[in-house]
Amino acid sequence: MSSRPVPRVGVFGGSFNPIHFGHLLVADEIVEALDLDRLLLVPAALPPHKPEGDLAPARARFEMTALAVREHERFEVCDLELRRPGPSYTVDTLEALRGRGELHLVIGSETFLDLLSWKEPSRVARLARLVVVPRIGTGFDPEAPAAQKVLAELGLPGFAQVRAAADGSATAGPLLVAASSLPISASEIRRRAREGRSLAYRLPDSVVGYIREHHLYRSEPR
C-alpha cells in the first residue's frame, strides 16, 4: 500500500442488493487505475432513489459485502449509512469521511447524469472528486448537452482522463475511467434466487451461501 502522506480514498456506494462480480471487478480496476490506498464500499441503509421492493435488510447487504471483499487488501466495507437514521444521502456520508483522506466518489455515468437530483450535489462535488465510470453499451458522451449541463450546474470544468491526472496535466474536473463491465444484473440474481435457480459464477460463493442460508429474495417483491 502507498505511503503517501494524504491517503487517496475511494468511496463506492450502492444498495449492493446483492453485491456481485460486476461490482467487484469495477472496484478492483478503479483501485488500480487511480492507485487508491483504500476503497470504501458503502452499502446504503435506505437508498433514497430506489424503491424498497425486494431490498434485502441493510445488515444482510452489509454482511454480504463484507464476505465478498474480505480477501482484498485495499477494500474496506463501511457501515456509516447503517448507523445513521433516515435516507442514506451521499453528502452526509462524505461529510463524515472527510478525515479519511483525499476522497474520490465512484459513480456510473447514468448516475452522473442524474446527479442534480441528489441532495446538495454541489456539496458532493466539493467534498470528493467525482470518478465517472461509463457503462459499456450506454454510449455515454461527456461532450453531450446532458453531461455538460451537470458540469455547469456543479461549477466543474470538463472531464479529465486518468493518464492526465497521473502526470499532473489534468483539470480538477471529474475523472473519466473506462473500467471493465460484466453483464451481471442484481435484479436477475434476485429473480434466480426467488426461483431457487443457480447463482454460480455471478457472485462469490460466500455470498451465494449467505443468500441460501438466510433465505433472501425468496418472497415475491412488493
Side-chain angles (χ1 to χ4, degrees):
M1 192 174 292
S2 171
S3 59
R4 285 184 290 259
V6 179
R8 292 165 59 87
V9 178
V11 181
F12 183 15
S15 58
F16 299 125
N17 187 40
I19 192 166
H20 54 66
F21 283 135
H23 299 127
L24 297 170
L25 180 59
V26 167
D28 185 62
E29 293 205 352
I30 290 293
V31 166
E32 186 176 63
L34 301 184
D35 190 22
L36 297 177
D37 297 288
R38 208 78 174 154
L39 180 73
L40 305 179
L41 292 96
V42 188
L46 186 59
H49 294 282
K50 288 191 176 182
E52 292 187 44
D54 52 356
L55 191 67
R59 179 52 58 179
R61 290 182 285 109
F62 174 86
E63 291 176 354
M64 286 190 286
T65 305
L67 286 170
V69 307
R70 61 186 174 183
E71 296 182 3
H72 196 298
E73 64 176 2
R74 299 196 192 186
F75 287 178
E76 176 184 334
V77 186
C78 175
D79 68 351
L80 262 177
E81 296 187 355
L82 274 69
R83 291 187 280 111
R84 190 173 65 233
S88 302
Y89 292 117
T90 298
V91 67
D92 298 330
T93 300
L94 294 176
E95 286 278 10
L97 292 172
R98 291 178 70 181
R100 290 294 301 263
E102 181 185 319
L103 300 180
H104 296 71
L105 179 65
V106 182
I107 57 176
S109 52
E110 294 167 331
T111 299
F112 173 79
L113 294 176
D114 192 45
L115 203 57
L116 298 180
S117 70
W118 285 22
K119 178 185 177 183
E120 299 183 59
S122 296
R123 182 74 177 151
V124 168
R126 290 195 299 272
L127 288 168
R129 185 161 198 182
L130 302 180
V131 178
V132 180
V133 183
R135 179 179 294 183
I136 293 175
T138 59
F140 176 70
D141 180 3
E143 300 300 325
Q148 291 299 308
K149 178 183 178 181
V150 176
L151 292 174
E153 291 284 343
L154 298 182
L156 295 172
F159 287 91
Q161 300 293 330
V162 174
R163 184 175 301 175
D167 65 22
S169 63
T171 68
L175 289 172
L176 198 59
V177 181
S180 300
S181 176
L182 294 176
I184 298 177
S185 161
S187 61
E188 172 66 9
I189 289 172
R190 295 193 298 271
R191 184 179 67 82
R192 295 180 72 91
R194 280 197 300 273
E195 296 170 356
R197 298 172 61 190
S198 171
L199 303 179
Y201 308 114
R202 296 164 177 84
L203 60 173
D205 290 342
S206 57
V207 179
V208 174
Y210 188 98
I211 290 172
R212 300 299 193 203
E213 179 183 354
H214 294 272
H215 308 288
L216 298 181
Y217 310 119
R218 294 307 299 267
S219 61
E220 289 299 318
R222 290 174 291 177

